[in-house]
Amino acid sequence: MKLWRWSRAWISRHIFFTSFLVLTGLVLGWLQFSPLPASIYSTPYASLLLARDGSLLGASIAADQQWRFAPVDQLPDKYKKSLLLFEDRHFYRHPGINPLSIARALRGNISAGKVTSGGSTLTMQLARLLRQEIYGPDEKNNGRTLGNKIQEAALAVKLEWRFSKEDLLIHYTSHAPYGGNIVGLRAAAWRYFGRSPEYLSWSESALLAVLPNSPALIHPGRQRDLLLQKRNRLLQRLHEKHYFSDLDLKLALLEPLPERPQILPQLAPHLLSTLKQKLPEQKIFTSTIDPQLQQLANQIAQRHSNRLANDGVNNIALVLLDHQRMQTLAYVGNEAFRNKISAAPSVDIVQRPRSTGSILKPLLYGLMLQEGELAPTSLIADIPTQINGYNPKNYDRTFRGAVPAQFALAHSLNIPAVRMLRDYGIGRFQEKLQAMGMTSLFRPADDYGLTLILGGAEGTLWELTGIYARLAASARDGEIDQSAMQLLITKNTAELNRIKPVFNQGAAWLTLQALIEVARPGNDNYWRDFAGSQTIAWKTGTSYGLRDAWAIGSNGRYTLGVWVGNAGGEPATFISGQSSAAPILFDVFDALPKVNWFAKPAHALKIISVCKDDGYLAGGQCDATDMEIPRSSHFEKITPYHRIIHLDKGEQFRVHNRCETVSNMQAANWFLLPPTQEFYWRQHHSEYRTLPPWRRDCLADSAQVDDDNPMELIYPQAQSRIYIPVDLDGKRSRVVLKAVHRDSAATLYWHLDDEFLGETKVFHEREASLEPGMHKLLVMDKNGYKLERRFNVIGEESQ
């Protein structure tokens, strides 16, 4: 009770001091905690895409349809001096309001009989701009009232309390109007002068300093001479401050006013759109794009767009990478023919998954080299193939019997690729592709099946070009970690993701060597004959159904990926990687600076001895040659195609120990392909030596002593499941059974389900009517060699 009485007595004696403390607390609380206009925090900004040199690649307007770019980080010195001298010389010495300026403006207004000056500081002008953004139309027209001035002054004081002077300058310049729907210094600099604010001249800086005072004067027919006079007077005052020389003043005064806002470039609109989706909070994107190369890529894509439209192809996408720095230099997201709406011109195809065609074949080849499953010249079967109902075909619909692995890759043969994937493993290959950076392979491996290697999966041009770039980087640099593809410049390189390379140096280099041999389109195929030609390792791909065409390649510095097709997936009769995408690829490479191919990494390779004719380890059974393979490879496959045969003394006939004494036999190493491979091989290799015939007295027992069966079934193959469609007349189609025999004069006898079908000579094909269910086929020759095969015919009801 005594304390309460004492407190009341103390307060009554110090009432003025107490009131001052309370008032001070209220004012400080108001300054610190009262809300500011929402526009200072939530202003919608346009998006800006810059090239690596700071030049403008493109921009998209803000959500409120204003060209308002994100604020500059720091005001350029020329503009800052111009602004302060024109608007507020005492900016750094007042707390938001300047009583002297207000008094001077009041005196001038009274003498003029009307409002001619408001005496506003820059901070008060910022306050007015922030409040105007929430005004209605009537309030904007009546903004220069005493009540509004008082509110602006109060807000100015509050802004001075909350922000530093430098922040206030940046806030002002980012909200100031510059004519029409151009708002802010950065937008004005680009729209009127085509450059960033820091590169403005004194004349340009002075114009942008005076323009917010009367932004309508910038438009033609709006007393532009008054604007010119304002600018020139400011230049004179700046010169009087000794900011620049007499010559600089003369040159500045000669600079004309901009006629109208410039149209902003749109060199990479799809890249800007993609970056906005991925980074919606970011408004300025400083990319790694080279502006000259971007324009070059756009021009080449546009030129080829007219060519391809005649073939029913409406879209082109292109990505150019520097595989030394792993930076993106050009990005054509979608060159749509004449920007037709039907061609979906707004879609960024670079980031859209499309059927890969044959573009994954080099990756399988490189992995099998690396893991010791083949050597570059190892023979791969190229014969009619049916695996679990899948029946791949080569692009030319022919068979070569067997081809070296590097030849199969260089000529993009489908059947060898499918057989290689079967041996390597679908799931294993899928895991490796995912480790390389393919994110579109999200289904189980069995869903893709063996079609994975021929376009049964989808990939993006962005990821596939990056994989090829890292392949080139591995061939050059070895097994050091590589950075992920870079689109945006970052100050801290440690922020870049690092990727462990999948390929070792030797495997990568040998893979690229095989791709150098891919035939180039047109006259480019004779590139080795011209001194100015450059080495390019490249690969094409064409998807099933003629919907996608690819070409991806690397020289010593750059990796380029090209996709051609229709955004909506419509097929095009004449589309192919070779004729549609490859010409674009080589036109771009021809326009790039010439670079040398990287040196051979001898330390990453080792030499093995392989048979000249089949590419497998010699083992003393053949004429051998040296072959390079990756040093890490454990290739241990002995030649399966060489065998020792026994000939008579004249070396004309084969013999065996039941018809000839051992002392009279001559042993010989012989290159011998399986019958089916031999049948097609001989059509392309006239030098191939077939087995000598058995001597007449040795024929009887040849089948018992020789483990080589001279005949082979082409169709049906082992464990086949055959679906036979029903014709229009309701009858089931007939099946053509097919076999080959080493002896072109042999007669074969056919039995189906223990019933004799007949015999064949020369061409061993036999038609048969088959009902659903299991069947047994028996084929024999007159020497006692026979083949048995069981297969299953599937009816419609059991599909």
Side-chain angles (χ1 to χ4, degrees):
M1 195 67 178
K2 289 181 179 181
L3 179 60
W4 169 246
R5 291 187 186 131
W6 180 86
S7 299
R8 289 183 61 188
W10 189 92
I11 292 172
S12 63
R13 289 195 300 269
H14 300 83
I15 186 64
F16 293 107
F17 180 69
T18 303
S19 300
F20 174 76
L21 289 177
V22 172
L23 181 61
T24 300
L26 291 173
V27 171
L28 291 177
W30 174 78
L31 289 172
Q32 184 66 39
F33 300 110
S34 61
L36 294 173
S39 56
I40 201 167
Y41 297 115
S42 59
T43 302
Y45 292 113
S47 297
L48 196 65
L49 177 62
L50 303 177
R52 63 192 309 137
D53 62 358
S55 61
L56 185 64
L57 293 173
S60 61
I61 200 165
D64 60 356
Q65 300 305 302
Q66 302 294 306
W67 285 109
R68 183 193 298 105
F69 295 162
V72 296
D73 295 327
Q74 184 177 0
L75 286 186
D77 187 61
K78 292 177 183 177
Y79 175 79
K80 184 177 179 180
K81 288 176 177 176
S82 301
L83 177 66
L84 294 179
L85 186 59
F86 180 74
E87 288 285 4
D88 194 346
R89 289 175 294 168
H90 305 290
F91 176 73
Y92 286 101
R93 295 195 293 273
H94 62 66
I97 56 175
N98 187 342
L100 294 178
S101 296
I102 294 174
R104 184 168 58 251
L106 183 61
R107 185 172 62 251
N109 294 339
I110 292 173
S111 62
K114 60 180 181 179
V115 177
T116 60
S117 173
S120 297
T121 63
L122 265 179
T123 315
M124 290 177 66
Q125 293 184 51
L126 170 61
R128 184 177 71 250
L129 292 172
L130 294 175
R131 296 183 72 245
Q132 282 181 342
E133 291 180 1
I134 59 173
Y135 281 172
D138 294 338
E139 293 175 296
K140 288 185 178 181
N141 295 332
N142 301 312
R144 300 183 72 176
T145 64
L146 179 60
N148 280 335
K149 283 292 181 183
I150 293 173
Q151 293 183 60
E152 289 166 9
L155 179 55
V157 173
K158 190 159 50 172
L159 290 170
E160 291 274 353
W161 178 265
R162 301 278 186 92
F163 299 100
S164 70
K165 288 289 187 180
E166 300 304 320
D167 287 342
L168 290 172
L169 283 175
I170 290 175
H171 279 303
Y172 169 77
T173 57
S174 64
H175 288 82
Y178 287 89
N181 64 343
I182 301 173
V183 179
L185 172 63
R186 196 193 294 269
W190 281 112
R191 291 302 308 272
Y192 291 123
F193 304 112
R195 64 179 67 93
S196 184
E198 58 265 29
Y199 299 112
L200 296 176
S201 67
W202 277 110
S203 178
E204 293 163 346
S205 298
L207 175 64
L208 295 187
V210 304
L211 187 55
N213 190 260
S214 302
L217 295 182
I218 192 65
H219 299 295
R222 294 288 186 90
Q223 297 180 310
R224 285 164 58 87
D225 56 326
L226 296 180
L227 180 62
L228 183 63
Q229 293 171 18
K230 279 188 172 187
R231 184 203 71 176
N232 290 346
R233 282 198 298 270
L234 178 56
L235 287 172
Q236 294 282 0
R237 292 171 61 192
L238 289 166
H239 177 254
E240 291 169 4
K241 292 285 187 180
H242 305 292
Y243 288 146
F244 46 79
S245 66
D246 295 343
L247 177 60
D248 290 333
L249 175 62
K250 291 179 181 179
L251 294 174
L253 293 173
L254 291 174
E255 290 187 30
L257 298 180
E259 288 299 321
R260 58 181 58 84
Q262 298 181 14
I263 297 175
L264 296 178
Q266 295 295 336
L267 297 179
H270 301 92
L271 175 57
L272 177 58
S273 176
T274 293
L275 290 172
K276 285 171 59 179
Q277 292 178 7
K278 291 184 177 180
L279 303 167
E281 300 302 318
Q282 190 168 332
K283 298 303 177 183
I284 299 178
F285 303 98
T286 303
S287 71
T288 60
I289 298 295
D290 182 300
Q292 285 73 39
L293 294 181
Q294 180 67 28
Q295 291 189 58
L296 172 71
N298 284 333
Q299 292 167 2
I300 292 175
Q302 187 174 21
R303 185 170 72 245
H304 281 275
S305 177
N306 297 326
R307 170 183 68 89
L308 291 168
N310 296 325
D311 296 334
V313 178
N314 294 306
N315 302 90
I316 298 172
L318 181 157
V319 174
L320 177 64
L321 303 178
D322 178 343
H323 58 67
Q324 287 187 2
R325 296 188 177 94
M326 293 306 293
Q327 292 182 342
T328 309
L329 302 182
Y331 188 109
V332 180
N334 183 358
E335 178 60 44
F337 179 60
R338 295 180 180 174
N339 277 328
K340 295 190 303 182
I341 299 300
S342 59
S346 62
V347 176
D348 184 1
I349 299 178
V350 169
Q351 303 291 340
R352 293 296 179 95
R354 306 290 302 203
S355 173
T356 55
S358 297
I359 213 71
L360 302 180
K361 289 176 182 176
L363 309 178
L364 176 61
Y365 173 83
L367 289 169
M368 295 186 74
L369 282 181
Q370 180 170 292
E371 297 172 26
E373 302 202 19
L374 54 75
T377 57
S378 298
L379 289 184
I380 309 295
D382 181 20
I383 57 177
T385 299
Q386 187 180 54
I387 304 172
N388 296 327
Y390 180 48
N391 185 22
K393 297 283 194 300
N394 290 328
Y395 66 92
D396 57 3
R397 295 297 192 268
T398 63
F399 307 100
R400 293 163 178 80
V403 290
Q406 62 186 12
F407 179 94
L409 175 59
H411 292 78
S412 198
L413 299 180
N414 293 336
I415 293 173
V418 168
R419 298 177 78 95
M420 288 167 62
L421 180 57
R422 178 195 60 184
D423 295 342
Y424 187 80
I426 302 168
R428 184 178 167 197
F429 185 48
Q430 180 183 8
E431 290 176 1
K432 293 292 186 180
L433 291 174
Q434 291 169 334
M436 294 177 202
M438 279 191 73
T439 60
S440 53
L441 301 177
F442 52 85
R443 295 183 304 183
D446 289 343
D447 281 4
Y448 298 110
L450 293 171
T451 64
L452 175 61
I453 199 64
L454 301 182
E458 294 183 330
T460 66
L461 181 62
W462 174 250
E463 291 179 350
L464 290 170
T465 307
I467 290 172
Y468 271 70
R470 285 190 286 275
L471 179 68
S474 294
R476 182 188 60 246
D477 302 328
E479 290 86 69
I480 62 174
D481 286 354
Q482 303 160 349
S483 65
M485 285 183 298
Q486 192 178 349
L487 254 179
L488 298 178
I489 292 177
T490 177
K491 295 179 180 178
N492 183 9
T493 56
E495 296 177 358
L496 297 175
N497 293 330
R498 306 294 294 181
I499 297 176
K500 185 176 179 60
V502 173
F503 292 100
N504 61 39
Q505 190 169 15
W509 192 81
L510 289 171
T511 301
L512 295 183
Q513 291 302 112
L515 295 180
I516 291 172
E517 302 304 320
V518 175
R520 301 185 183 185
N523 292 331
D524 280 333
N525 200 26
Y526 303 100
W527 66 276
R528 296 182 188 274
D529 298 333
F530 300 95
S533 297
Q534 58 180 321
T535 302
I536 299 172
W538 70 295
K539 183 72 182 73
T540 62
T542 306
S543 69
Y544 179 78
L546 303 177
R547 288 174 169 82
D548 308 271
W550 303 77
I552 306 179
S554 298
N555 66 7
R557 178 68 182 272
Y558 306 105
T559 297
L560 175 64
V562 177
W563 175 91
V564 166
N566 290 311
E570 300 85 359
T573 304
F574 301 106
I575 194 174
S576 75
Q578 183 77 14
S579 63
S580 305
I584 302 173
L585 180 131
F586 283 100
D587 275 2
V588 174
F589 271 125
D590 288 344
L592 293 174
K594 300 298 185 290
V595 291
N596 294 326
W597 191 247
F598 11 85
K600 177 180 176 179
H603 65 280
L605 303 170
K606 65 181 180 182
I607 295 176
I608 59 173
S609 180
V610 299
C611 295
K612 286 182 179 180
D613 40 25
D614 70 8
Y616 289 92
L617 294 179
Q621 301 182 46
C622 60
D623 291 335
T625 185
D626 289 341
M627 173 59 57
E628 290 177 321
I629 62 173
R631 182 168 294 276
S632 62
S633 170
H634 298 289
F635 183 67
E636 298 175 344
K637 295 184 178 180
I638 304 293
T639 174
Y641 300 126
H642 286 84
R643 56 174 294 189
I644 297 176
I645 64 171
H646 296 95
L647 305 174
D648 61 5
K649 282 189 175 183
E651 298 185 354
Q652 293 184 346
F653 300 100
R654 280 190 291 163
V655 295
H656 52 75
N657 59 6
R658 295 187 184 183
C659 62
E660 183 61 273
T661 61
V662 175
S663 59
N664 289 331
M665 293 182 188
Q666 303 292 323
N669 286 322
W670 208 271
F671 174 54
L672 184 65
L673 292 171
T676 304
Q677 294 184 35
E678 179 184 277
F679 175 77
Y680 293 103
W681 177 279
R682 290 171 60 185
Q683 299 172 23
H684 300 272
H685 298 271
S686 59
E687 76 283 2
Y688 179 76
R689 295 189 306 158
T690 59
L691 277 174
W694 289 105
R695 201 171 65 190
R696 187 178 300 275
D697 60 326
C698 299
L699 279 173
D701 297 324
S702 59
Q704 286 74 39
V705 299
D706 184 19
D707 59 358
D708 173 59
N709 194 329
M711 57 183 178
E712 198 168 37
L713 277 171
I714 295 178
Y715 190 82
Q717 296 183 1
Q719 300 177 345
S720 288
R721 300 173 72 240
I722 301 173
Y723 170 68
I724 304 177
V726 176
D727 295 334
L728 293 177
D729 60 4
K731 296 180 180 180
R732 199 174 298 278
S733 300
R734 296 171 67 84
V735 174
V736 178
L737 309 173
K738 187 174 182 179
V740 292
H741 198 288
R742 293 193 193 279
D743 184 0
S744 59
T747 299
L748 299 187
Y749 304 93
W750 298 76
H751 302 261
L752 181 64
D753 298 329
D754 298 326
E755 292 186 8
F756 180 64
L757 283 180
E759 62 182 52
T760 57
K761 297 180 179 181
V762 185
F763 298 106
H764 302 292
E765 298 181 0
R766 193 76 191 178
E767 282 192 350
S769 296
L770 299 173
E771 294 298 321
M774 291 298 300
H775 295 272
K776 183 178 74 171
L777 177 65
L778 173 65
V779 183
M780 300 180 63
D781 70 1
K782 62 182 179 180
N783 295 323
Y785 291 100
K786 63 181 179 180
L787 290 171
E788 271 193 38
R789 179 146 303 164
R790 292 182 179 274
F791 59 95
N792 187 18
V793 173
I794 304 171
E796 291 186 7
E797 66 280 357
S798 58
Q799 268 193 291

